Protein backbone atom coordinates (compact mmCIF):
# COMPACT_ATOMS: atom_id res chain seq x y z
CA UNK A 1 0.00 0.00 0.00
CA UNK A 2 1.01 3.65 -0.33
CA UNK A 3 1.64 5.59 2.85
CA UNK A 4 3.17 8.86 3.94
CA UNK A 5 6.58 8.24 5.47
CA UNK A 6 8.75 10.31 7.77
CA UNK A 7 12.31 9.02 7.45
CA UNK A 8 14.26 11.94 8.98
CA UNK A 9 13.33 14.40 11.70
CA UNK A 10 14.07 17.59 9.79
CA UNK A 11 10.57 18.78 9.08
CA UNK A 12 7.84 18.40 6.45
CA UNK A 13 10.32 18.74 3.54
CA UNK A 14 11.56 15.22 4.25
CA UNK A 15 8.04 13.71 4.05
CA UNK A 16 7.68 11.10 1.25
CA UNK A 17 4.97 8.84 -0.12
CA UNK A 18 6.29 5.25 -0.24
CA UNK A 19 5.18 1.63 -0.76
CA UNK A 20 4.99 -0.13 2.61
CA UNK A 21 3.55 -3.37 3.99
CA UNK A 22 -0.14 -3.38 4.86
CA UNK A 23 -0.84 -3.60 8.63
CA UNK A 24 -1.67 -6.89 10.31
CA UNK A 25 -5.46 -7.04 10.61
CA UNK A 26 -5.78 -9.86 13.17
CA UNK A 27 -8.41 -8.97 15.80
CA UNK A 28 -8.69 -5.48 14.33
CA UNK A 29 -11.04 -3.53 12.08
CA UNK A 30 -9.26 -3.14 8.74
CA UNK A 31 -10.22 0.07 6.92
CA UNK A 32 -9.62 1.05 3.28
CA UNK A 33 -8.81 4.68 3.86
CA UNK A 34 -10.40 7.29 1.58
CA UNK A 35 -9.24 10.40 3.43
CA UNK A 36 -6.93 11.19 6.35
CA UNK A 37 -6.88 14.26 8.58
CA UNK A 38 -3.77 16.41 8.97
CA UNK A 39 -3.27 18.15 12.33
CA UNK A 40 -0.62 20.31 13.98
CA UNK A 41 0.93 17.35 15.85
CA UNK A 42 1.79 15.82 12.44
CA UNK A 43 4.00 18.83 11.72
CA UNK A 44 5.60 18.51 15.17
CA UNK A 45 6.14 14.77 14.60
CA UNK A 46 8.20 15.49 11.46
CA UNK A 47 10.70 17.35 13.67
CA UNK A 48 10.59 15.00 16.66
CA UNK A 49 9.01 17.80 18.69
CA UNK A 50 5.83 16.02 19.79
CA UNK A 51 5.56 14.16 23.11
CA UNK A 52 4.94 10.94 21.12
CA UNK A 53 8.19 9.96 19.37
CA UNK A 54 7.71 6.92 17.10
CA UNK A 55 10.73 5.05 15.72
CA UNK A 56 11.80 6.03 12.19
CA UNK A 57 10.51 5.48 9.60
CA UNK A 58 6.89 6.10 10.59
CA UNK A 59 3.59 7.18 9.09
CA UNK A 60 1.98 10.27 10.66
CA UNK A 61 -1.78 10.87 10.89
CA UNK A 62 -4.24 10.66 13.79
CA UNK A 63 -7.58 10.12 12.02
CA UNK A 64 -9.09 8.52 8.92
CA UNK A 65 -12.34 8.09 7.03
CA UNK A 66 -12.98 5.05 4.85
CA UNK A 67 -14.75 1.75 4.32
CA UNK A 68 -14.42 -1.35 6.49
CA UNK A 69 -12.64 -4.15 4.60
CA UNK A 70 -12.96 -6.68 7.42
CA UNK A 71 -13.91 -6.71 11.10
CA UNK A 72 -13.63 -9.27 13.91
CA UNK A 73 -16.74 -11.30 14.74
CA UNK A 74 -19.00 -9.38 17.13
CA UNK A 75 -17.62 -5.94 16.28
CA UNK A 76 -20.15 -3.10 15.96
CA UNK A 77 -19.11 -2.54 12.31
CA UNK A 78 -18.79 -4.92 9.38
CA UNK A 79 -17.33 -5.09 5.86
CA UNK A 80 -18.67 -2.31 3.62
CA UNK A 81 -19.57 0.14 6.41
CA UNK A 82 -18.55 3.79 6.01
CA UNK A 83 -16.55 4.67 9.12
CA UNK A 84 -14.23 7.09 10.85
CA UNK A 85 -11.20 5.84 12.74
CA UNK A 86 -8.82 7.26 15.31
CA UNK A 87 -5.23 6.11 15.21
CA UNK A 88 -4.79 8.85 17.85
CA UNK A 89 -1.09 9.61 17.30
CA UNK A 90 0.33 8.17 14.09
CA UNK A 91 -0.28 5.71 11.23
CA UNK A 92 -3.34 7.35 9.65
CA UNK A 93 -1.88 8.67 6.36
CA UNK A 94 -1.94 5.27 4.67
CA UNK A 95 -4.19 3.43 2.22
CA UNK A 96 -5.03 0.80 4.84
CA UNK A 97 -5.20 1.02 8.64
CA UNK A 98 -6.05 -1.62 11.25
CA UNK A 99 -7.67 -0.34 14.45
CA UNK A 100 -9.22 -1.76 17.61
CA UNK A 101 -13.00 -1.70 17.26
CA UNK A 102 -13.41 0.91 20.01
CA UNK A 103 -11.53 3.43 17.85
CA UNK A 104 -13.93 2.99 14.91
CA UNK A 105 -17.16 5.00 14.54
CA UNK A 106 -20.02 4.88 12.01
CA UNK A 107 -19.87 7.79 9.56
CA UNK A 108 -23.25 9.43 8.86
CA UNK A 109 -24.33 9.05 5.20
CA UNK A 110 -24.71 12.81 4.88
CA UNK A 111 -21.00 13.40 5.58
CA UNK A 112 -18.37 12.88 2.86
CA UNK A 113 -15.14 10.98 3.52
CA UNK A 114 -13.13 14.22 3.12
CA UNK A 115 -15.25 16.11 5.65
CA UNK A 116 -15.37 13.04 7.90
CA UNK A 117 -11.58 12.84 8.08
CA UNK A 118 -11.67 16.28 9.70
CA UNK A 119 -14.11 15.46 12.49
CA UNK A 120 -12.84 13.18 15.23
CA UNK A 121 -9.54 14.66 16.35
CA UNK A 122 -10.74 18.25 16.62
CA UNK A 123 -14.45 17.93 17.38
CA UNK A 124 -13.95 15.43 20.20
CA UNK A 125 -11.17 17.59 21.66
CA UNK A 126 -13.38 20.67 21.50
CA UNK A 127 -16.43 18.90 22.93
CA UNK A 128 -14.24 17.65 25.81
CA UNK A 129 -12.63 21.06 26.33
CA UNK A 130 -15.82 23.15 26.27
CA UNK A 131 -18.13 20.75 28.09
CA UNK A 132 -16.14 18.48 30.40
CA UNK A 133 -13.32 20.86 31.29
CA UNK A 134 -14.71 24.32 30.49
CA UNK A 135 -18.24 23.92 31.96
CA UNK A 136 -19.66 25.97 29.08
CA UNK A 137 -23.15 27.15 30.07
CA UNK A 138 -26.10 28.27 27.99
CA UNK A 139 -25.86 31.85 26.76
CA UNK A 140 -22.11 32.23 27.32
CA UNK A 141 -19.64 33.93 24.97
CA UNK A 142 -16.61 31.99 23.67
CA UNK A 143 -13.42 33.55 22.31
CA UNK A 144 -11.54 31.23 19.90
CA UNK A 145 -7.85 31.69 19.06
CA UNK A 146 -6.38 30.14 15.90
CA UNK A 147 -9.96 30.34 14.66
CA UNK A 148 -9.18 29.50 11.02
CA UNK A 149 -7.29 26.34 12.05
CA UNK A 150 -8.47 22.81 12.77
CA UNK A 151 -9.28 23.19 16.46
CA UNK A 152 -10.48 26.76 15.86
CA UNK A 153 -13.01 25.97 13.13
CA UNK A 154 -14.19 23.01 15.18
CA UNK A 155 -14.77 25.26 18.22
CA UNK A 156 -16.76 27.69 16.07
CA UNK A 157 -18.91 24.89 14.63
CA UNK A 158 -19.62 23.20 17.97
CA UNK A 159 -19.83 25.99 20.55
CA UNK A 160 -23.41 27.08 19.65
CA UNK A 161 -24.72 23.51 20.01
CA UNK A 162 -23.00 23.23 23.38
CA UNK A 163 -24.76 26.38 24.59
CA UNK A 164 -22.76 29.41 23.48
CA UNK A 165 -24.84 32.33 22.29
CA UNK A 166 -21.86 34.11 20.73
CA UNK A 167 -18.44 33.18 19.37
CA UNK A 168 -15.63 35.68 18.75
CA UNK A 169 -12.94 34.38 16.39
CA UNK A 170 -9.32 35.57 16.52
CA UNK A 171 -7.28 35.22 13.29
CA UNK A 172 -3.96 36.62 12.08
CA UNK A 173 -4.94 37.83 8.60
CA UNK A 174 -7.93 39.33 6.76
CA UNK A 175 -7.88 36.28 4.45
CA UNK A 176 -8.49 33.97 7.39
CA UNK A 177 -11.54 35.96 8.53
CA UNK A 178 -13.52 34.30 5.71
CA UNK A 179 -12.66 30.84 7.02
CA UNK A 180 -13.77 31.76 10.54
CA UNK A 181 -17.03 33.27 9.27
CA UNK A 182 -17.76 30.18 7.15
CA UNK A 183 -17.28 28.06 10.30
CA UNK A 184 -19.96 30.12 12.04
CA UNK A 185 -18.16 32.88 13.99
CA UNK A 186 -20.49 35.60 15.28
CA UNK A 187 -17.63 38.12 15.16
CA UNK A 188 -14.08 37.98 13.85
CA UNK A 189 -11.19 40.10 15.12
CA UNK A 190 -7.51 40.25 14.20
CA UNK A 191 -4.94 38.82 16.62
CA UNK A 192 -3.15 42.13 16.60
CA UNK A 193 -5.11 44.23 19.11
CA UNK A 194 -7.68 41.51 19.87
CA UNK A 195 -7.97 42.55 23.53
CA UNK A 196 -9.33 46.02 22.70
CA UNK A 197 -11.62 44.59 20.03
CA UNK A 198 -13.06 42.05 22.49
CA UNK A 199 -13.56 44.75 25.10
CA UNK A 200 -15.50 46.84 22.62
CA UNK A 201 -17.56 43.93 21.28
CA UNK A 202 -18.58 42.85 24.81
CA UNK A 203 -19.23 46.35 26.14
CA UNK A 204 -16.29 45.99 28.54
CA UNK A 205 -17.62 42.78 30.16
CA UNK A 206 -15.27 40.27 28.53
CA UNK A 207 -15.91 36.67 27.46
CA UNK A 208 -16.86 33.64 29.54
CA UNK A 209 -14.56 31.08 27.88
CA UNK A 210 -11.36 31.30 25.83
CA UNK A 211 -10.37 28.32 23.65
CA UNK A 212 -6.59 28.64 23.29
CA UNK A 213 -4.70 26.33 20.93
CA UNK A 214 -2.03 29.03 20.39
CA UNK A 215 -0.56 30.14 23.75
CA UNK A 216 2.50 32.32 23.25
CA UNK A 217 2.50 36.05 23.85
CA UNK A 218 -1.25 36.56 23.62
CA UNK A 219 -1.94 34.56 26.77
CA UNK A 220 -1.94 37.46 29.25
CA UNK A 221 -4.30 39.48 27.04
CA UNK A 222 -6.55 36.41 26.89
CA UNK A 223 -6.72 36.38 30.69
CA UNK A 224 -7.50 40.10 30.64
CA UNK A 225 -10.32 39.41 28.16
CA UNK A 226 -12.17 37.09 30.59
CA UNK A 227 -15.33 38.19 32.40
CA UNK A 228 -15.64 37.49 36.14
CA UNK A 229 -15.92 33.69 36.52
CA UNK A 230 -14.34 33.17 33.08
CA UNK A 231 -12.30 30.12 32.06
CA UNK A 232 -9.28 29.91 29.74
CA UNK A 233 -8.91 26.46 28.18
CA UNK A 234 -5.29 25.52 27.43
CA UNK A 235 -5.48 23.35 24.30
CA UNK A 236 -2.11 23.79 22.59
CA UNK A 237 0.89 25.95 21.81
CA UNK A 238 1.10 26.58 18.07
CA UNK A 239 2.58 29.99 18.90
CA UNK A 240 5.66 28.10 20.14
CA UNK A 241 6.13 29.57 23.59
CA UNK A 242 4.47 27.94 26.62
CA UNK A 243 3.05 30.83 28.65
CA UNK A 244 3.29 31.24 32.40
CA UNK A 245 0.53 32.63 34.59
CA UNK A 246 0.80 34.91 37.61
CA UNK A 247 -1.78 33.32 39.87
CA UNK A 248 -2.74 36.61 41.52
CA UNK A 249 -4.64 37.34 38.29
CA UNK A 250 -6.79 34.25 38.94
CA UNK A 251 -7.54 35.34 42.49
CA UNK A 252 -8.18 39.01 41.78
CA UNK A 253 -10.56 38.39 38.87
CA UNK A 254 -12.06 35.04 39.91
CA UNK A 255 -10.97 33.32 36.71
CA UNK A 256 -9.68 29.82 35.91
CA UNK A 257 -6.92 28.52 33.66
CA UNK A 258 -7.84 24.95 32.76
CA UNK A 259 -5.78 22.28 30.99
CA UNK A 260 -7.69 20.38 28.30
CA UNK A 261 -5.69 17.32 27.25
CA UNK A 262 -8.22 15.16 25.44
CA UNK A 263 -5.90 12.27 24.45
CA UNK A 264 -4.73 11.67 28.01
CA UNK A 265 -8.36 11.86 29.24
CA UNK A 266 -9.53 9.20 26.78
CA UNK A 267 -6.74 6.85 27.91
CA UNK A 268 -7.77 7.21 31.57
CA UNK A 269 -11.54 7.10 30.89
CA UNK A 270 -12.47 3.88 29.04
CA UNK A 271 -15.71 4.28 27.06
CA UNK A 272 -15.42 8.08 26.92
CA UNK A 273 -14.83 8.16 23.14
CA UNK A 274 -18.01 6.16 22.52
CA UNK A 275 -19.98 8.48 24.82
CA UNK A 276 -18.66 11.47 22.91
CA UNK A 277 -19.55 9.97 19.53
CA UNK A 278 -23.03 8.95 20.70
CA UNK A 279 -23.68 12.63 21.33
CA UNK A 280 -21.97 14.08 18.26
CA UNK A 281 -23.00 11.57 15.59
CA UNK A 282 -26.73 12.47 15.51
CA UNK A 283 -25.91 16.17 15.44
CA UNK A 284 -23.72 15.65 12.36
CA UNK A 285 -26.26 13.32 10.76
CA UNK A 286 -29.08 15.87 11.13
CA UNK A 287 -26.92 18.84 10.15
CA UNK A 288 -27.45 20.49 13.57
CA UNK A 289 -23.65 20.61 13.63
CA UNK A 290 -22.25 21.38 10.17
CA UNK A 291 -19.55 19.05 8.86
CA UNK A 292 -16.08 20.60 8.45
CA UNK A 293 -15.27 22.24 5.10
CA UNK A 294 -11.70 20.99 4.75
CA UNK A 295 -8.91 22.06 2.43
CA UNK A 296 -8.31 18.79 0.53
CA UNK A 297 -4.90 17.77 -0.89
CA UNK A 298 -4.09 14.62 -2.90
CA UNK A 299 -1.86 12.09 -1.09
CA UNK A 300 1.07 13.10 -3.29
CA UNK A 301 0.94 16.57 -1.69
CA UNK A 302 1.30 15.27 1.87
CA UNK A 303 4.50 17.26 2.27
CA UNK A 304 2.83 20.56 1.33
CA UNK A 305 -0.27 19.71 3.39
CA UNK A 306 1.77 19.09 6.57
CA UNK A 307 3.98 22.12 5.87
CA UNK A 308 0.89 24.36 5.59
CA UNK A 309 0.23 23.88 9.31
CA UNK A 310 3.80 24.66 10.21
CA UNK A 311 4.05 27.74 7.97
CA UNK A 312 0.59 28.95 9.02
CA UNK A 313 -0.86 29.02 5.49
CA UNK A 314 -3.52 26.31 6.15
CA UNK A 315 -7.08 27.49 5.74
CA UNK A 316 -9.45 25.48 7.90
CA UNK A 317 -9.01 21.79 8.54
CA UNK A 318 -6.51 20.10 6.21
CA UNK A 319 -7.27 16.64 4.78
CA UNK A 320 -5.45 14.23 2.43
CA UNK A 321 -7.46 12.32 -0.20
CA UNK A 322 -6.21 8.75 -0.69
CA UNK A 323 -8.95 7.24 -2.88
N1 LIG B 1 -5.38 19.45 23.96
C1 LIG B 1 -5.67 18.50 23.11
O1 LIG B 1 -6.19 17.47 23.49
C2 LIG B 1 -5.37 18.72 21.66
C3 LIG B 1 -5.98 17.94 20.66
C4 LIG B 1 -5.72 18.25 19.33
C5 LIG B 1 -4.83 19.29 19.02
N2 LIG B 1 -4.23 19.98 20.04
C6 LIG B 1 -3.31 21.09 19.78
O2 LIG B 1 -4.06 22.20 19.30
C7 LIG B 1 -3.20 23.03 18.55
C8 LIG B 1 -3.87 23.40 17.25
O3 LIG B 1 -3.90 22.27 16.39
P1 LIG B 1 -4.59 22.40 14.95
O4 LIG B 1 -4.48 21.07 14.32
O5 LIG B 1 -5.87 23.08 15.09
O6 LIG B 1 -3.54 23.40 14.23
P2 LIG B 1 -3.83 24.38 12.97
O7 LIG B 1 -4.93 23.86 12.14
O8 LIG B 1 -2.49 24.61 12.35
O9 LIG B 1 -4.33 25.73 13.65
C9 LIG B 1 -3.52 26.41 14.55
C10 LIG B 1 -3.67 27.90 14.41
O10 LIG B 1 -2.67 28.48 15.27
C11 LIG B 1 -2.40 29.79 14.82
N3 LIG B 1 -0.99 30.12 15.03
C12 LIG B 1 -0.55 31.15 15.79
N4 LIG B 1 0.77 31.20 15.80
C13 LIG B 1 1.21 30.20 15.01
C14 LIG B 1 2.50 29.76 14.61
N5 LIG B 1 3.62 30.35 15.04
N6 LIG B 1 2.59 28.69 13.79
C15 LIG B 1 1.48 28.05 13.37
N7 LIG B 1 0.20 28.43 13.72
C16 LIG B 1 0.08 29.50 14.52
C17 LIG B 1 -2.80 29.85 13.36
O11 LIG B 1 -3.82 30.83 13.25
P3 LIG B 1 -3.52 32.36 12.92
O12 LIG B 1 -2.51 32.39 11.80
O13 LIG B 1 -4.83 32.90 12.53
O14 LIG B 1 -2.97 32.94 14.21
C18 LIG B 1 -3.40 28.47 13.04
O15 LIG B 1 -4.59 28.58 12.28
C19 LIG B 1 -1.88 22.28 18.41
O16 LIG B 1 -0.96 22.76 19.37
C20 LIG B 1 -2.25 20.85 18.73
O17 LIG B 1 -1.17 20.11 19.22
C21 LIG B 1 -4.49 19.72 21.33
Amino acid sequence: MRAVQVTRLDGPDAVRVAEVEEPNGDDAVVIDVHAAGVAFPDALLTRGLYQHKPDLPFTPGAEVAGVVRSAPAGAHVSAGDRVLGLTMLSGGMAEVVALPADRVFALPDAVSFEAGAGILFNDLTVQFALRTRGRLAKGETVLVHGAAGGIGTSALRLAPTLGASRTIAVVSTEEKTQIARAAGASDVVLADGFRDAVKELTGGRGVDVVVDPVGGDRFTDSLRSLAVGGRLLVVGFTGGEIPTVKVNRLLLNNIDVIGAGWGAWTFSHPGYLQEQWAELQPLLASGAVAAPQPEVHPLEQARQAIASLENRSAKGKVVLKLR
Side-chain angles (χ1 to χ4, degrees):
M1 67 169 183
R2 288 184 310 159
V4 175
Q5 287 270 280
V6 176
T7 53
R8 302 192 314 263
L9 297 179
D10 49 5
D13 272 359
V15 165
R16 300 277 178 273
V17 176
E19 281 293 326
V20 300
E21 290 285 309
E22 287 191 2
N24 178 353
D26 292 352
D27 299 326
V29 178
V30 179
I31 301 171
D32 286 323
V33 176
H34 284 241
V38 183
F40 199 80
D42 296 314
L44 295 175
L45 279 168
T46 67
R47 293 194 186 276
L49 294 175
Y50 198 54
Q51 55 260 40
H52 169 59
K53 299 188 194 307
D55 292 335
L56 291 168
F58 66 87
T59 295
E63 58 187 330
V64 301
V67 175
V68 175
R69 183 193 284 185
S70 63
H76 67 293
V77 291
S78 51
D81 287 355
R82 298 171 83 247
V83 292
L84 302 180
L86 266 179
T87 61
M88 225 48 191
L89 294 168
S90 54
M93 296 181 198
E95 285 180 326
V96 183
V97 301
L99 291 173
D102 64 358
R103 297 273 187 80
V104 179
F105 309 87
L107 173 63
D109 290 340
V111 182
S112 70
F113 291 121
E114 288 84 2
I119 290 174
L120 292 176
F121 200 60
N122 294 325
D123 285 9
L124 299 186
T125 296
V126 164
Q127 186 198 41
F128 162 71
L130 286 176
R131 160 81 59 67
T132 305
R133 301 293 292 143
R135 314 184 301 275
L136 179 65
K138 206 167 161 32
E140 289 193 317
T141 297
V142 180
L143 180 76
V144 180
H145 283 294
I151 288 284
T153 49
S154 174
L156 294 171
R157 290 173 34 252
L158 269 110
T161 313
L162 297 175
S165 59
R166 185 181 197 184
T167 51
I168 303 176
V170 183
V171 294
S172 60
T173 63
E174 290 289 351
E175 202 186 0
K176 288 188 180 181
T177 59
Q178 307 307 323
I179 308 292
R181 286 203 191 286
S186 318
D187 300 280
V188 187
V189 302
L190 290 175
D192 210 10
F194 80 89
R195 180 185 165 200
D196 290 341
V198 168
K199 195 171 175 186
E200 194 177 325
L201 281 170
T202 60
R205 176 185 177 272
V207 299
D208 301 291
V209 174
V210 174
V211 175
D212 188 9
V214 175
D217 57 9
R218 53 177 93 171
F219 186 79
T220 302
D221 275 348
S222 292
L223 292 182
R224 291 181 176 131
S225 299
L226 284 173
V228 173
R231 288 85 72 203
L232 185 151
L233 303 173
V234 178
V235 177
F237 309 103
T238 58
E241 183 204 331
I242 297 180
T244 53
V245 55
K246 289 193 173 157
V247 294
N248 64 320
R249 287 187 195 284
L250 313 185
L251 180 153
L252 292 173
N253 300 317
N254 283 300
I255 55 176
D256 293 355
V257 174
I258 301 174
W262 168 71
W265 190 273
T266 65
F267 289 123
S268 58
H269 291 74
Y272 185 72
L273 284 171
Q274 284 68 30
E275 279 172 36
Q276 287 198 285
W277 189 243
E279 184 181 331
L280 186 57
Q281 203 260 10
L283 298 172
L284 288 159
S286 70
V289 168
Q293 301 170 37
E295 190 177 55
V296 181
H297 295 257
L299 177 65
E300 296 69 28
Q301 283 180 12
R303 180 188 315 157
Q304 293 88 331
I306 295 172
S308 74
L309 281 82
E310 189 180 75
N311 65 30
R312 221 167 159 174
S313 63
K315 295 180 193 70
K317 176 69 187 180
V318 175
V319 161
L320 290 180
K321 186 173 166 60
L322 289 100
R323 282 188 170 83

